[in-house]
Amino acid sequence: MTDGAINAARRGWLRDLRRLAVFTGKRLLALLVTVLIGVYLTIVIANMGGQVDDLRLAQIETTAAEAVRADPAFHDLPSDERTELVEQQVALEVERLRLDEPFIWRSFDYLYQAMILDLGRAEEMHSDAGSRQVFNIIAERLPATLLLFGTANLLVFFVAVFAALGLSRRYGSALDQSVIGLAPSSAAPGWFYGIFLILLLAFIWPLFPAGGMVAVPPPEDGWAYAASVLRHMALPVLAMFISQIFISIYSWRTFFLIHSSEDYVEMARAKGLPDRLIEQRYILRPTLSPIVTSFLLMLIGLWSGAIILEQVFNWPGLGTLLFEAIGHRDTPVIIGSVVIFAYLLAITVFVLDFLYAILDPRVRIEGGRS
């Protein structure tokens, strides 16, 4: 290869790298703005425009007064000195929490701390290890949510793809018509099916546990612990699977049918190529982009339904944590949970953009746009 060709290839590589960098920067900035808006609205709503801080101030005054009255060292103090002591403690706590500042300024400070994951201390809740740090509380619950939803969604994706590919070969068959007829059943959320699964498979036929993540007390052996987790996962995973599988098969089978009638597919058949090779190269590959898109959009919808599903199965994940935080009016935990969900959604959308370019060779980054 000549020096000119090498230099041209290097310039082309650098140009593509710059385009990728510009595209990545723009997408990250757009997602960051979206997350900022969502988190800030959550801060305002969770604090009810500052009214929660007023309730917090009243709680601080009550707690300080009860602490002074309960301390024997202050029993002999005159009432005015005890009142002054209570006011001093309240003033210190108000200064620490910056409750003496306007809510608009504190809301921006809350936003900054939330975005850098400096989530502060919980007001009412704590982790199983006893930590009051919101980050530690969420970090303790996040793996359970990722395990449950990751398993269910991967199962739905692979089963639906292969089932849809198989149905596209049997268009109009009894099985195909059955799937079409069952597709509207996906309108019901996973927790709806979960209630019936608990009734049938946990109480009428007690094959699986009704809720929780592991047996009580937890098994000490690692394999026994994993087996217990799998048994407890069975019903919630099955509920999400039933809720999503039929509409996924129906949608993706439609993609396969559309592409199987393209001219290049007919040409491949006329050349005598094997059916499996035609499916893999000329049908499956062109449809992966819309399939992955619909799958990730489905995943985003499932994130939003995590609260009810985890509550139904008493699964100790982020959904249950957010439900408990709302019940306790623990604003830092509410905001922290929403921040984590927002980041998960943003990461999902960001990954989707790059999967487009990887799965579909027709997608190119031009001038920072896909």
Side-chain angles (χ1 to χ4, degrees), residues 60-143:
I60 290 172
E61 294 172 349
T62 302
T63 302
E66 291 178 351
V68 170
R69 284 197 299 266
D71 194 335
F74 302 134
H75 286 174
D76 296 333
L77 290 178
S79 60
D80 56 341
E81 293 186 11
R82 284 203 302 269
T83 302
E84 183 179 357
L85 182 61
V86 170
E87 291 176 352
Q88 290 176 354
Q89 293 184 0
V90 171
L92 290 173
E93 190 68 12
V94 167
E95 183 179 1
R96 185 182 71 84
L97 297 175
R98 299 173 60 184
L99 296 178
D100 54 341
E101 299 180 5
F103 173 73
I104 185 67
W105 302 119
R106 282 184 283 117
S107 67
F108 287 118
D109 184 57
Y110 296 156
L111 177 62
Y112 171 74
Q113 293 176 355
M115 295 305 296
I116 64 173
L117 297 182
D118 181 12
L119 304 177
R121 288 172 57 86
E123 297 174 356
E124 302 290 340
M125 306 176 67
H126 57 80
S127 67
D128 292 340
S131 175
R132 297 293 294 272
Q133 294 295 321
V134 175
F135 185 85
N136 294 335
I137 296 173
I138 293 176
E140 187 178 75
R141 301 290 191 99
L142 181 59

Coordinates of all heavy atoms in Angstrom, one line a residue, residues 60-143:
I60 N -38.7 18.7 62.9 CA -37.4 19.0 63.6 C -37.7 19.7 64.9 O -37.1 19.4 65.9 CB -36.6 19.9 62.7 CG1 -36.1 19.2 61.5 CG2 -35.4 20.5 63.5 CD1 -35.4 20.0 60.4
E61 N -38.7 20.6 64.9 CA -39.0 21.3 66.2 C -39.6 20.3 67.2 O -39.2 20.4 68.4 CB -40.0 22.4 65.9 CG -39.5 23.5 65.1 CD -40.5 24.5 64.6 OE1 -41.7 24.2 64.8 OE2 -40.2 25.6 64.1
T62 N -40.4 19.4 66.8 CA -41.0 18.4 67.7 C -39.9 17.5 68.2 O -39.9 17.2 69.4 CB -42.1 17.6 67.0 OG1 -43.1 18.5 66.5 CG2 -42.7 16.6 67.9
T63 N -39.1 17.0 67.3 CA -38.0 16.1 67.8 C -37.1 16.7 68.8 O -36.6 16.1 69.8 CB -37.2 15.6 66.5 OG1 -38.1 15.0 65.6 CG2 -36.1 14.6 66.9
A64 N -36.7 18.0 68.5 CA -35.8 18.7 69.4 C -36.4 18.9 70.7 O -35.8 18.7 71.8 CB -35.3 20.0 68.8
A65 N -37.7 19.3 70.8 CA -38.4 19.5 72.0 C -38.5 18.2 72.8 O -38.3 18.2 74.1 CB -39.7 20.1 71.8
E66 N -38.8 17.1 72.2 CA -38.9 15.8 72.9 C -37.5 15.4 73.4 O -37.5 14.8 74.5 CB -39.5 14.8 71.9 CG -41.0 15.0 71.6 CD -41.5 14.0 70.6 OE1 -40.7 13.2 70.1 OE2 -42.7 14.0 70.4
A67 N -36.5 15.6 72.6 CA -35.1 15.2 73.1 C -34.7 16.0 74.3 O -34.1 15.4 75.2 CB -34.1 15.4 71.9
V68 N -35.0 17.3 74.4 CA -34.7 18.1 75.5 C -35.5 17.6 76.8 O -35.0 17.5 77.9 CB -34.9 19.6 75.2 CG1 -34.8 20.4 76.5 CG2 -33.9 20.0 74.2
R69 N -36.8 17.4 76.6 CA -37.7 17.0 77.7 C -37.2 15.6 78.2 O -37.3 15.3 79.4 CB -39.1 16.9 77.2 CG -39.8 18.3 77.2 CD -41.3 18.2 77.1 NE -41.7 17.4 76.0 CZ -42.1 18.0 74.8 NH1 -42.0 19.3 74.7 NH2 -42.5 17.2 73.8
A70 N -36.8 14.7 77.3 CA -36.4 13.3 77.7 C -35.0 13.3 78.4 O -34.7 12.2 79.0 CB -36.5 12.4 76.5
D71 N -34.2 14.3 78.2 CA -32.8 14.2 78.8 C -32.9 14.7 80.3 O -33.3 15.8 80.6 CB -31.9 15.2 78.0 CG -30.5 14.9 78.3 OD1 -30.2 14.4 79.4 OD2 -29.6 15.2 77.4
P72 N -32.5 13.8 81.2 CA -32.5 14.2 82.6 C -31.6 15.4 83.0 O -31.9 16.1 83.9 CB -32.1 12.9 83.4 CG -32.3 11.8 82.4 CD -32.1 12.4 81.0
A73 N -30.6 15.6 82.2 CA -29.7 16.7 82.5 C -30.4 18.1 82.3 O -29.9 19.1 82.9 CB -28.5 16.7 81.5
F74 N -31.5 18.1 81.6 CA -32.1 19.4 81.4 C -33.4 19.6 82.2 O -34.1 20.6 82.1 CB -32.5 19.6 79.9 CG -31.3 19.5 79.0 CD1 -31.4 18.7 77.8 CD2 -30.1 20.2 79.3 CE1 -30.3 18.6 77.0 CE2 -29.0 20.1 78.4 CZ -29.1 19.3 77.3
H75 N -33.7 18.6 83.1 CA -34.9 18.7 83.9 C -35.0 19.9 84.8 O -36.0 20.5 85.1 CB -35.2 17.4 84.7 CG -35.6 16.3 83.8 ND1 -35.7 15.0 84.2 CD2 -35.9 16.2 82.5 CE1 -36.1 14.2 83.2 NE2 -36.2 14.9 82.2
D76 N -33.8 20.3 85.4 CA -33.7 21.4 86.4 C -33.6 22.7 85.7 O -33.6 23.8 86.5 CB -32.5 21.1 87.3 CG -32.7 19.9 88.1 OD1 -33.8 19.4 88.4 OD2 -31.7 19.3 88.5
L77 N -33.5 22.8 84.4 CA -33.4 24.1 83.8 C -34.8 24.8 83.8 O -35.8 24.2 83.7 CB -32.9 23.9 82.3 CG -31.5 23.5 82.1 CD1 -31.2 23.3 80.6 CD2 -30.5 24.5 82.7
P78 N -34.7 26.1 83.9 CA -36.0 26.9 83.8 C -36.6 26.7 82.4 O -35.9 26.4 81.4 CB -35.5 28.4 84.0 CG -34.2 28.3 84.7 CD -33.6 27.0 84.3
S79 N -37.9 26.9 82.3 CA -38.6 26.7 81.0 C -38.1 27.6 79.9 O -38.0 27.2 78.8 CB -40.1 26.9 81.2 OG -40.3 28.3 81.6
D80 N -37.7 28.9 80.2 CA -37.2 29.7 79.2 C -35.9 29.3 78.7 O -35.6 29.4 77.5 CB -37.2 31.2 79.7 CG -36.3 31.3 80.9 OD1 -36.0 30.3 81.6 OD2 -35.8 32.4 81.2
E81 N -35.0 28.7 79.5 CA -33.7 28.2 79.1 C -33.9 26.9 78.2 O -33.2 26.7 77.3 CB -32.8 27.9 80.3 CG -32.4 29.2 81.0 CD -31.4 28.9 82.1 OE1 -30.9 27.7 82.1 OE2 -31.1 29.8 82.9
R82 N -34.8 26.1 78.7 CA -35.1 24.9 77.8 C -35.6 25.3 76.5 O -35.3 24.7 75.5 CB -36.1 24.0 78.5 CG -35.5 23.2 79.7 CD -36.4 21.9 80.0 NE -37.7 22.3 80.3 CZ -38.2 22.5 81.5 NH1 -37.4 22.5 82.6 NH2 -39.5 22.8 81.7
T83 N -36.5 26.3 76.4 CA -37.0 26.8 75.1 C -35.9 27.3 74.3 O -35.8 27.1 73.1 CB -38.1 27.9 75.4 OG1 -39.1 27.4 76.2 CG2 -38.6 28.4 74.0
E84 N -35.0 28.1 74.9 CA -33.8 28.6 74.2 C -33.0 27.5 73.6 O -32.5 27.6 72.5 CB -33.0 29.6 75.0 CG -31.9 30.2 74.3 CD -31.1 31.2 75.2 OE1 -31.5 31.3 76.4 OE2 -30.1 31.7 74.8
L85 N -32.8 26.4 74.4 CA -31.9 25.3 74.0 C -32.6 24.6 72.8 O -31.9 24.2 71.9 CB -31.8 24.3 75.2 CG -30.9 23.1 74.9 CD1 -29.5 23.5 74.5 CD2 -30.9 22.2 76.1
V86 N -33.9 24.4 72.9 CA -34.6 23.8 71.8 C -34.5 24.7 70.5 O -34.2 24.2 69.4 CB -36.1 23.6 72.1 CG1 -36.9 23.2 70.9 CG2 -36.3 22.6 73.2
E87 N -34.6 26.0 70.6 CA -34.5 26.9 69.5 C -33.1 26.8 68.9 O -32.9 26.9 67.7 CB -34.8 28.3 69.9 CG -36.3 28.5 70.2 CD -36.6 29.9 70.7 OE1 -35.6 30.6 70.9 OE2 -37.8 30.2 70.9
Q88 N -32.1 26.7 69.7 CA -30.7 26.6 69.2 C -30.5 25.3 68.4 O -29.9 25.3 67.4 CB -29.7 26.6 70.4 CG -29.6 28.0 71.1 CD -28.7 27.9 72.3 OE1 -28.2 26.9 72.7 NE2 -28.4 29.1 72.9
Q89 N -31.0 24.2 69.0 CA -30.9 22.9 68.2 C -31.7 22.9 66.9 O -31.2 22.4 65.9 CB -31.4 21.8 69.1 CG -30.5 21.5 70.3 CD -31.0 20.3 71.1 OE1 -31.9 19.6 70.8 NE2 -30.3 20.0 72.2
V90 N -32.8 23.5 67.0 CA -33.6 23.7 65.7 C -32.9 24.5 64.7 O -32.8 24.2 63.5 CB -35.0 24.3 66.0 CG1 -35.7 24.6 64.7 CG2 -35.8 23.3 66.8
A91 N -32.3 25.6 65.2 CA -31.5 26.5 64.3 C -30.3 25.8 63.6 O -30.1 26.0 62.4 CB -31.1 27.8 65.0
L92 N -29.6 25.0 64.4 CA -28.5 24.3 63.9 C -29.0 23.3 62.8 O -28.3 23.1 61.7 CB -27.8 23.5 65.0 CG -27.0 24.4 66.0 CD1 -26.5 23.5 67.1 CD2 -25.8 25.1 65.3
E93 N -30.1 22.6 63.0 CA -30.6 21.6 62.1 C -31.1 22.3 60.8 O -30.9 21.8 59.7 CB -31.7 20.8 62.7 CG -32.1 19.5 61.9 CD -31.0 18.5 61.8 OE1 -30.0 18.6 62.5 OE2 -31.2 17.6 61.0
V94 N -31.8 23.4 61.0 CA -32.3 24.2 59.9 C -31.1 24.7 59.0 O -31.2 24.6 57.8 CB -33.1 25.4 60.4 CG1 -33.4 26.4 59.2 CG2 -34.5 24.9 60.9
E95 N -30.0 25.1 59.7 CA -28.9 25.6 58.9 C -28.2 24.4 58.2 O -27.8 24.6 57.0 CB -27.9 26.3 59.9 CG -26.7 26.9 59.2 CD -25.7 27.5 60.1 OE1 -26.0 27.5 61.3 OE2 -24.7 28.0 59.7
R96 N -28.2 23.3 58.8 CA -27.5 22.1 58.2 C -28.3 21.7 57.0 O -27.7 21.4 55.9 CB -27.5 21.0 59.2 CG -26.7 19.7 58.6 CD -26.7 18.6 59.6 NE -28.0 18.0 59.8 CZ -28.5 17.1 58.9 NH1 -27.8 16.6 57.9 NH2 -29.7 16.6 59.1
L97 N -29.6 21.7 57.0 CA -30.5 21.3 55.9 C -30.8 22.5 55.0 O -31.5 22.3 54.0 CB -31.8 20.7 56.4 CG -31.6 19.4 57.3 CD1 -33.0 19.0 57.8 CD2 -31.0 18.3 56.4
R98 N -30.4 23.7 55.3 CA -30.6 24.9 54.5 C -32.0 25.2 54.3 O -32.5 25.6 53.2 CB -29.9 24.7 53.1 CG -28.4 24.5 53.2 CD -27.8 24.2 51.9 NE -28.0 25.3 50.9 CZ -27.6 25.2 49.7 NH1 -27.0 24.1 49.2 NH2 -27.9 26.2 48.8
L99 N -32.8 24.9 55.3 CA -34.3 25.1 55.3 C -34.6 26.6 55.4 O -35.7 27.0 55.2 CB -35.0 24.3 56.3 CG -34.9 22.8 56.2 CD1 -35.7 22.2 57.3 CD2 -35.5 22.4 54.9
D100 N -33.6 27.4 55.8 CA -33.8 28.9 55.9 C -33.7 29.6 54.5 O -33.9 30.8 54.4 CB -32.8 29.5 56.9 CG -31.4 29.1 56.6 OD1 -31.2 28.2 55.8 OD2 -30.5 29.8 57.1
E101 N -33.3 28.9 53.5 CA -33.2 29.4 52.2 C -34.4 29.2 51.3 O -35.2 28.3 51.6 CB -32.0 28.8 51.4 CG -30.6 29.0 52.1 CD -29.5 28.3 51.3 OE1 -29.8 27.8 50.2 OE2 -28.4 28.4 51.8
P102 N -34.7 30.0 50.3 CA -35.8 29.8 49.5 C -35.8 28.4 48.8 O -34.7 28.0 48.4 CB -35.7 31.0 48.4 CG -34.9 32.0 49.1 CD -33.9 31.3 50.0
F103 N -36.9 27.8 48.6 CA -37.0 26.5 48.0 C -36.4 26.4 46.6 O -35.8 25.4 46.2 CB -38.4 26.0 48.0 CG -38.6 24.7 47.3 CD1 -38.1 23.5 47.9 CD2 -39.1 24.6 46.0 CE1 -38.2 22.3 47.2 CE2 -39.2 23.4 45.4 CZ -38.8 22.2 46.0
I104 N -36.5 27.5 45.8 CA -36.1 27.5 44.5 C -34.5 27.3 44.4 O -34.0 26.5 43.6 CB -36.4 28.8 43.7 CG1 -36.0 28.8 42.3 CG2 -35.8 30.0 44.4 CD1 -36.8 27.7 41.5
W105 N -33.8 27.9 45.4 CA -32.3 27.7 45.4 C -32.0 26.3 45.9 O -31.1 25.7 45.4 CB -31.7 28.8 46.3 CG -32.0 30.2 45.8 CD1 -32.6 31.2 46.5 CD2 -31.6 30.7 44.5 NE1 -32.7 32.3 45.7 CE2 -32.1 32.1 44.5 CE3 -31.0 30.2 43.4 CZ2 -32.0 32.9 43.4 CZ3 -30.9 31.1 42.3 CH2 -31.3 32.4 42.3
R106 N -32.7 25.9 46.9 CA -32.5 24.5 47.4 C -32.8 23.5 46.4 O -32.1 22.4 46.4 CB -33.2 24.3 48.7 CG -32.6 25.0 49.9 CD -33.4 24.6 51.2 NE -34.6 25.4 51.3 CZ -35.8 24.8 51.3 NH1 -36.0 23.5 51.2 NH2 -36.9 25.6 51.4
S107 N -33.8 23.7 45.6 CA -34.2 22.7 44.6 C -33.1 22.5 43.6 O -32.8 21.4 43.1 CB -35.5 23.1 43.9 OG -35.3 24.3 43.1
F108 N -32.4 23.6 43.2 CA -31.3 23.4 42.2 C -30.1 22.7 42.9 O -29.3 22.0 42.3 CB -30.8 24.8 41.7 CG -31.8 25.4 40.7 CD1 -32.4 26.6 41.0 CD2 -32.1 24.7 39.5 CE1 -33.3 27.1 40.1 CE2 -33.0 25.3 38.6 CZ -33.6 26.4 38.9
D109 N -29.9 23.0 44.2 CA -28.8 22.3 44.9 C -29.2 20.8 45.0 O -28.3 19.9 44.8 CB -28.7 22.9 46.3 CG -27.5 22.2 47.1 OD1 -26.4 22.3 46.6 OD2 -27.7 21.7 48.2
Y110 N -30.5 20.5 45.3 CA -30.9 19.1 45.3 C -30.6 18.4 43.9 O -30.2 17.3 43.8 CB -32.4 19.0 45.6 CG -32.8 19.4 47.0 CD1 -34.1 19.8 47.3 CD2 -31.9 19.4 48.1 CE1 -34.5 20.3 48.5 CE2 -32.2 19.9 49.3 CZ -33.5 20.3 49.6 OH -33.9 20.7 50.8
L111 N -30.9 19.2 42.8 CA -30.7 18.7 41.5 C -29.3 18.3 41.2 O -28.9 17.3 40.7 CB -31.3 19.7 40.5 CG -31.1 19.3 39.0 CD1 -31.8 18.0 38.7 CD2 -31.5 20.5 38.1
Y112 N -28.4 19.3 41.6 CA -27.0 19.0 41.4 C -26.5 17.8 42.2 O -25.8 16.9 41.6 CB -26.2 20.3 41.8 CG -24.7 20.0 41.8 CD1 -24.0 20.0 40.6 CD2 -24.0 19.9 43.0 CE1 -22.6 19.8 40.6 CE2 -22.6 19.7 43.0 CZ -21.9 19.6 41.8 OH -20.6 19.4 41.8
Q113 N -26.9 17.7 43.4 CA -26.5 16.5 44.2 C -27.0 15.2 43.6 O -26.3 14.2 43.6 CB -26.9 16.7 45.7 CG -26.2 17.9 46.4 CD -26.8 18.1 47.8 OE1 -27.8 17.4 48.2 NE2 -26.2 19.0 48.5
A114 N -28.3 15.3 43.1 CA -28.9 14.1 42.6 C -28.1 13.6 41.3 O -27.9 12.4 41.1 CB -30.3 14.3 42.3
M115 N -27.8 14.6 40.5 CA -27.1 14.2 39.2 C -25.7 13.6 39.4 O -25.3 12.8 38.6 CB -27.1 15.5 38.3 CG -28.4 16.0 37.9 SD -29.5 14.7 37.1 CE -28.5 14.4 35.6
I116 N -25.0 14.0 40.4 CA -23.7 13.5 40.7 C -23.8 12.3 41.7 O -22.8 11.8 42.2 CB -22.7 14.5 41.2 CG1 -23.2 15.1 42.6 CG2 -22.6 15.7 40.3 CD1 -22.2 16.0 43.3
L117 N -25.1 11.8 41.9 CA -25.3 10.7 42.8 C -24.9 10.9 44.2 O -24.6 9.9 44.9 CB -24.7 9.4 42.2 CG -25.2 8.9 40.8 CD1 -24.5 7.7 40.4 CD2 -26.7 8.8 40.8
D118 N -24.8 12.1 44.6 CA -24.7 12.5 46.0 C -26.0 12.6 46.6 O -26.6 13.7 46.8 CB -23.9 13.8 46.2 CG -23.6 14.1 47.6 OD1 -23.9 13.3 48.5 OD2 -23.2 15.3 47.9
L119 N -26.6 11.5 47.0 CA -28.1 11.4 47.3 C -28.4 11.7 48.7 O -29.5 11.7 49.1 CB -28.6 10.0 46.9 CG -28.4 9.6 45.4 CD1 -28.9 8.3 45.1 CD2 -29.0 10.7 44.5
G120 N -27.4 11.9 49.5 CA -27.6 12.3 50.9 C -28.0 11.1 51.8 O -27.9 9.9 51.5
R121 N -28.7 11.5 52.9 CA -29.1 10.5 53.9 C -30.6 10.4 53.9 O -31.4 11.4 53.7 CB -28.7 11.0 55.3 CG -27.2 10.8 55.6 CD -26.9 11.4 56.9 NE -27.6 10.9 58.0 CZ -27.3 9.8 58.7 NH1 -26.2 9.1 58.4 NH2 -28.0 9.3 59.7
A122 N -31.1 9.2 54.1 CA -32.5 8.9 54.2 C -33.1 9.5 55.5 O -32.4 9.6 56.5 CB -32.8 7.4 54.1
E123 N -34.3 9.9 55.5 CA -35.0 10.5 56.7 C -35.6 9.4 57.5 O -35.6 9.5 58.8 CB -36.0 11.5 56.2 CG -35.4 12.7 55.5 CD -36.5 13.6 55.0 OE1 -37.7 13.3 55.1 OE2 -36.2 14.6 54.4
E124 N -36.1 8.3 56.9 CA -36.8 7.3 57.7 C -36.3 5.9 57.4 O -36.4 5.1 58.3 CB -38.3 7.3 57.4 CG -39.0 8.6 57.6 CD -39.2 9.0 59.1 OE1 -39.1 8.0 59.9 OE2 -39.4 10.1 59.4
M125 N -35.7 5.7 56.3 CA -35.4 4.3 55.9 C -33.9 4.0 56.1 O -33.1 5.0 56.2 CB -35.8 4.1 54.4 CG -37.2 4.4 54.1 SD -37.7 4.2 52.4 CE -37.5 2.4 52.2
H126 N -33.5 2.8 56.0 CA -32.1 2.4 56.1 C -31.9 1.1 55.3 O -32.9 0.3 55.1 CB -31.6 2.2 57.5 CG -32.5 1.3 58.3 ND1 -32.3 -0.1 58.3 CD2 -33.5 1.5 59.2 CE1 -33.2 -0.7 59.1 NE2 -33.9 0.2 59.7
S127 N -30.7 0.7 55.0 CA -30.4 -0.5 54.3 C -30.4 -1.7 55.3 O -30.5 -1.5 56.5 CB -29.1 -0.4 53.6 OG -28.0 -0.3 54.6
D128 N -30.4 -2.9 54.8 CA -30.3 -4.1 55.6 C -29.1 -4.1 56.5 O -29.1 -4.6 57.6 CB -30.4 -5.3 54.8 CG -31.8 -5.5 54.1 OD1 -32.7 -4.9 54.6 OD2 -31.8 -6.2 53.1
A129 N -28.0 -3.4 56.0 CA -26.8 -3.3 56.7 C -26.8 -2.2 57.8 O -25.8 -2.0 58.5 CB -25.6 -3.2 55.8
G130 N -27.9 -1.4 57.8 CA -28.0 -0.3 58.7 C -27.6 1.0 58.2 O -27.7 2.0 59.0
S131 N -27.2 1.2 57.0 CA -26.7 2.4 56.5 C -27.9 3.3 56.2 O -29.0 2.9 55.7 CB -25.9 2.2 55.2 OG -25.6 3.5 54.6
R132 N -27.8 4.6 56.5 CA -28.8 5.6 56.2 C -28.5 6.4 54.9 O -29.3 7.3 54.5 CB -28.9 6.6 57.3 CG -29.4 6.0 58.6 CD -30.8 5.5 58.6 NE -31.7 6.6 58.4 CZ -32.3 7.2 59.4 NH1 -31.9 6.9 60.7 NH2 -33.2 8.2 59.2
Q133 N -27.4 6.1 54.3 CA -27.0 6.7 53.0 C -27.9 6.2 51.9 O -28.1 5.0 51.7 CB -25.6 6.5 52.6 CG -24.6 7.1 53.6 CD -24.6 8.6 53.6 OE1 -24.8 9.2 52.5 NE2 -24.5 9.2 54.7
V134 N -28.5 7.2 51.2 CA -29.5 6.8 50.1 C -28.8 5.9 49.0 O -29.4 5.0 48.5 CB -30.1 8.0 49.5 CG1 -31.0 7.6 48.3 CG2 -30.9 8.8 50.5
F135 N -27.6 6.3 48.7 CA -26.8 5.6 47.7 C -26.7 4.1 48.1 O -26.8 3.2 47.3 CB -25.5 6.2 47.4 CG -24.7 5.6 46.3 CD1 -24.9 5.9 45.0 CD2 -23.8 4.6 46.5 CE1 -24.2 5.3 43.9 CE2 -23.1 4.0 45.5 CZ -23.3 4.4 44.2
N136 N -26.3 3.9 49.3 CA -26.1 2.5 49.8 C -27.5 1.7 49.8 O -27.5 0.5 49.5 CB -25.5 2.5 51.2 CG -24.1 3.0 51.2 OD1 -23.4 3.0 50.2 ND2 -23.7 3.6 52.4
I137 N -28.5 2.4 50.2 CA -29.9 1.8 50.2 C -30.2 1.3 48.8 O -30.7 0.2 48.6 CB -30.9 2.7 50.8 CG1 -30.6 3.1 52.2 CG2 -32.3 2.1 50.7 CD1 -31.5 4.1 52.8
I138 N -30.0 2.2 47.8 CA -30.4 1.9 46.4 C -29.5 0.8 45.9 O -29.9 -0.1 45.2 CB -30.3 3.2 45.6 CG1 -31.5 4.1 46.0 CG2 -30.5 2.8 44.1 CD1 -31.5 5.4 45.3
A139 N -28.2 1.0 46.2 CA -27.2 0.0 45.7 C -27.5 -1.4 46.2 O -27.2 -2.4 45.5 CB -25.8 0.4 46.1
E140 N -28.1 -1.5 47.4 CA -28.5 -2.8 47.9 C -29.7 -3.4 47.2 O -29.8 -4.6 47.1 CB -28.8 -2.6 49.4 CG -29.0 -3.9 50.2 CD -29.3 -3.6 51.6 OE1 -30.4 -3.2 51.9 OE2 -28.4 -3.9 52.5
R141 N -30.6 -2.6 46.7 CA -31.8 -3.1 46.0 C -31.6 -3.2 44.5 O -32.4 -4.0 43.9 CB -32.9 -2.1 46.3 CG -33.3 -1.9 47.8 CD -33.9 -3.1 48.4 NE -34.5 -2.8 49.7 CZ -35.8 -2.6 49.9 NH1 -36.6 -2.6 48.9 NH2 -36.2 -2.3 51.1
L142 N -30.7 -2.5 43.9 CA -30.6 -2.5 42.4 C -30.3 -3.8 41.8 O -30.9 -4.2 40.8 CB -29.5 -1.4 42.0 CG -29.3 -1.3 40.5 CD1 -30.6 -0.9 39.8 CD2 -28.2 -0.3 40.2
P143 N -29.4 -4.6 42.4 CA -29.1 -5.9 41.8 C -30.3 -6.8 41.7 O -30.5 -7.6 40.7 CB -28.0 -6.5 42.7 CG -27.4 -5.4 43.3 CD -28.4 -4.4 43.5

